[in-house]
Each structure stands twice: as C-alpha cells, then as structure tokens.
Amino acid sequence: MAVRAVRIVELEGPEAVEVGEAAEPADPGAVVVDVHAAGVAFPDVLLSRGQYQYRPELPFVPGSEVAGVVRGAPEGSGFEAGDRVVGLTGFGGGMAEVAAVPPSMTFRLPDNVSFEAGAGLLFNDLTVHFALGRRGGLREGETVLVHGAAGGIGTSALRLAGPMGAARVLAVVSTEEKAEVARAAGATDVVLTDGWRDRVKELTGGRGVDIVVDPVGGDRFTDSLRSLAPAGRVLVIGFTGGEIPTVKVNRLLLNNVDVRGVGWGAWWLSHPEYLAEQWAAYEPLLASGAVPVPEPVLHPLDGAAEAIASLERRTALGKVVLKVR
C-alpha cells in the first residue's frame, strides 16, 4: 500500500525535494505510527545534497522525528494501538503518513503536548539536555550563552537551561526579529552578533560565561573561548555557519577552559540504554510544565522543500515541523 511522503530523488538540495508516494513500511518488529507531524532537522539538508555521513540509495524518504498515533506494535513492546507517541525512525522515513519506529526509540507523548510540538522535541531538546547535563555539567546558578539562539537548537537551549539550573541565559542573534524569538523562548538577555563579545563581557561584569552552547561554529568560535569564565566550557554541537573552526589549545591551558564535543546520536548509538534513561529524566520536566512546550514553525507536507530550505538559509525561527495530518 502506498502513502504520501516526502521524497529525495536527486542530490540537488532542498529544491529537488518532492512530495509523492512511497511504499508503506512493513516491519513486524517496529511500532507502526500514523504520523501526524514530522520534524525537520539540519541533517535533512545535508541528506538532500549527499553530504551526510549516511547516504541512502535514491530515492528515499527523509525525516527522523515523528509524532502520531500507534496503529500497531509488536507484543511486549509496551505500546498498543491508540497510544500517542513520539519516536525516532533512525535514518529517514519519518516524513510520511506512516512510519516504522523501533520500540526502543518510541516514547509516550504527554497529554499536554500537541503532535506538532512533539515532533519538534526529540532531536533538539534531547541534544540540548545531553549537552547541558551529561557533557556540559551545568551547575546550579551558572550562566549560559547560546549562539544561533533563534534556531531549533538555540530555542531548545533557551527553554531548557533555566529548568536545568542556569541562573542566567544570554542569547546571541543576528536580527531584532530573532531577538524577539529568543526572548519568548526564555533568554534573560539578548545581544546582536555585531560586537557580541564586548556586550557579553559588560553584561557579566567582565567575568564571562560558564557555558557556551554553539551549534553555529564559524568565525565566532575564538571569541566564544575568550568569553568564558575560568573553568568555562564551549559545547560544540554543529556547524550551521558552514566553517569548522580550529582550536589553539594554548588558550585552553592559559585560561583553564574546555571545548567539549556534543555528539548525542553517537552517544546513544554506543549506549543503547541511554535514550530511555534520558526520556525518563526529561519527560517529567515537560509534562509538569517546568520546560515550556515548544511552538514550532509549521509547514504543510507539500511545503517540505521550503521547510528544509529554511534551515539551509538559516531563516527558520525556531524548530521546523511538517504537519502531515
């Protein structure tokens, strides 16, 4: 049986993305989900150009984050028809009306979270939860600075940093429009990219910040190191700015600061129990309202090309989600 799905038929970027039909997944070991919404993430941009480390054969359906209703589940999985869930499909297949999700990567969606918001949770919120908690060692009362603060990772960092213990969260953005997005997501202070380091020094009384969340990379990386307080940490999450920066390690020695890689996917792939542990820690924050439910930027399924392109152009304000049903 065929379902409507987003398809990448040529590795020519988001412009070559189309919506058509794909075979309904048939995996007896998977939780079969009627997808209501699907997340769009930066790896989908790279996949559309053949630049991701995983390169599926053409044509393929992108998307790894889904939210919807269980149609069927294997015995012993803990799920049954009618359950509201979110899940990770692995390496694609999510941007379709029906998706197959491994039971170990399927989670119950709290009743206070819509499908659209749920589809935008897993990649970004769990990456940030891993970054600030496991890799960053965020301590109560510390100050966090967030680059790319109006994007998907950025808004997640602004939403989670306070509930996870930060006393102050500074956002770096490129426009006044993005500044409003950052404030709405929870930033206590917002600075524009032009002259951001000097402004951050002023705001912190010359001390600097304890943690920098950096999904951007590029030419601001050295200034991120310079903006750290003693024992501060830069968390390297990605390179949406295009350029992969280098580190002169004498800066780390002289100032007693760290650069820490944040490879959430690599971590849970090598620690199979981690996703369940992480969801158990994160879900109560979400269900209780301690972590605000995100308000994603919605596109229709037919608008998938534009949705993916908005990430490549860095014009997306917040997490981008496709409304499938």
Side-chain angles (χ1 to χ4, degrees):
M1 184 176 175
V3 296
R4 294 188 75 232
V6 176
R7 300 170 75 242
I8 293 178
V9 295
E10 295 180 276
L11 300 179
E12 299 295 334
E15 297 78 11
V17 171
E18 63 177 40
V19 176
E21 289 190 341
E24 185 173 305
D27 182 349
V31 177
V32 179
V33 177
D34 286 327
V35 178
H36 284 243
V40 183
F42 197 72
D44 297 315
V45 175
L46 300 178
L47 280 165
S48 75
R49 295 195 179 277
Q51 296 173 348
Y52 198 53
Q53 56 261 41
Y54 170 69
R55 297 186 180 185
E57 291 185 13
L58 294 170
F60 63 89
V61 176
S64 298
E65 302 168 280
V66 300
V69 177
V70 173
R71 176 188 293 186
E75 187 175 349
S77 68
F79 299 97
E80 59 184 30
D83 286 344
R84 299 175 79 249
V85 296
V86 292
L88 294 170
T89 60
F91 294 104
M95 296 183 188
E97 292 177 323
V98 181
V101 186
S104 64
M105 296 160 67
T106 305
F107 309 100
R108 296 186 189 281
L109 184 64
D111 290 339
N112 63 315
V113 183
S114 69
F115 290 123
E116 292 80 13
L121 289 174
L122 295 178
F123 265 18
N124 291 346
D125 276 19
L126 295 190
T127 293
V128 169
H129 184 270
F130 172 70
L132 292 176
R134 180 63 65 100
R135 298 295 295 134
L138 174 62
R139 294 182 285 271
E140 197 75 28
E142 289 191 317
T143 297
V144 175
L145 181 144
V146 181
H147 286 299
I153 287 288
T155 51
S156 283
L158 297 177
R159 288 173 40 253
L160 267 70
M164 292 182 68
R168 195 174 187 185
V169 189
L170 283 60
V172 181
V173 296
S174 58
T175 68
E176 287 294 344
E177 181 186 16
K178 292 182 177 182
E180 291 304 311
V181 172
R183 291 188 186 97
T188 51
D189 301 272
V190 181
V191 300
L192 296 179
T193 49
D194 186 20
W196 69 269
R197 184 169 70 93
D198 290 339
R199 183 67 180 131
V200 166
K201 284 289 187 183
E202 292 173 11
L203 288 170
T204 59
R207 177 181 178 275
V209 300
D210 299 294
I211 290 179
V212 173
V213 176
D214 185 11
V216 178
D219 57 7
R220 69 182 70 178
F221 186 80
T222 298
D223 278 345
S224 290
L225 288 174
R226 290 170 173 159
S227 73
L228 290 174
R233 296 83 79 195
V234 174
L235 305 181
V236 179
I237 297 181
F239 313 103
T240 60
E243 178 187 346
I244 298 176
T246 56
V247 181
K248 291 187 176 180
V249 295
N250 64 311
R251 296 185 188 278
L252 311 184
L253 182 152
L254 293 172
N255 297 315
N256 290 296
V257 296
D258 297 349
V259 176
R260 301 184 184 179
V262 179
W264 171 66
W267 185 266
W268 59 256
L269 282 171
S270 60
H271 298 74
E273 74 291 344
Y274 181 70
L275 273 182
E277 293 174 0
Q278 188 180 25
W279 185 259
Y282 164 79
E283 190 272 341
L285 298 175
L286 188 67
S288 68
V291 169
V293 175
E295 296 182 8
V297 179
L298 296 180
H299 293 257
L301 188 67
D302 287 332
E306 173 56 31
I308 296 171
S310 72
L311 296 185
E312 184 172 60
R313 297 193 302 260
R314 296 182 62 193
T315 57
L317 301 178
K319 175 66 179 182
V320 177
V321 168
L322 297 180
K323 188 173 175 62
V324 179
R325 295 177 191 270

